Amino acid sequence: MPSPYPAGPPAYGQPPGYGTGYGTGYPGGYADPYGYGGPPARNGFGVASLVLGVIGLVTSLFVLGIVPGVLAIVFGALGRGRAARREASNGGMAVAGIVLGVLAVIASIVFIAVYVYVHKHCVDVDGHLHCNDPDYPKA
């Protein structure tokens, strides 16, 4: 009569490696005892969004913050979507990137408006700006 139990490991050779057999990669091929498959991976989009948001805020003074700010918003939205689908674990980092990206875009727009106003209404005389000063005519 044949044995009802499966055959054991071979007498010679290496045992099967991690991730082989049954389950999700636990040593010896055992299944995850909780049924979750482990924690979700880190979110590259969330990290990129946060980094681009910080860069955008720093460069907004030079009006260059619009590009990294918009990219931070886009990557943050993608990262937030991955976190909502439970494919990634750092959704808060994506949200922070979105907020910093929005602030970078707003600050860049404000500085563009200031630079346009200064260029249109002010005159540089000997290193001093004179804005709407009747004593200094436009150059």
Side-chain angles (χ1 to χ4, degrees):
M1 172 178 218
S3 171
Y5 301 107
Y12 300 102
Q14 296 293 327
Y18 293 108
T20 59
Y22 305 106
T24 58
Y26 279 81
Y30 295 108
D32 180 9
Y34 301 107
Y36 292 115
R42 296 295 288 174
N43 193 350
F45 286 125
V47 173
S49 174
L50 184 64
V51 169
L52 285 168
V54 170
I55 290 172
L57 236 133
V58 170
T59 59
S60 65
L61 179 63
F62 308 108
V63 188
L64 300 173
I66 288 180
V67 174
V70 169
L71 288 174
I73 295 169
V74 170
F75 285 151
L78 291 172
R80 188 68 193 121
R82 284 192 65 196
R85 290 188 305 271
R86 298 194 187 269
E87 296 173 1
S89 62
N90 55 349
M93 195 175 288
V95 171
I98 292 171
V99 170
L100 290 176
V102 168
L103 290 175
V105 169
I106 291 172
S108 293
I109 291 172
V110 167
F111 281 117
I112 288 172
V114 168
Y115 292 147
V116 166
Y117 176 82
V118 167
H119 180 70
K120 188 174 182 178
H121 293 96
C122 299
V123 177
D124 183 12
V125 179
D126 297 328
H128 300 294
L129 282 178
H130 298 278
C131 299
N132 296 329
D133 192 352
D135 296 335
Y136 290 97
K138 289 262 185 215

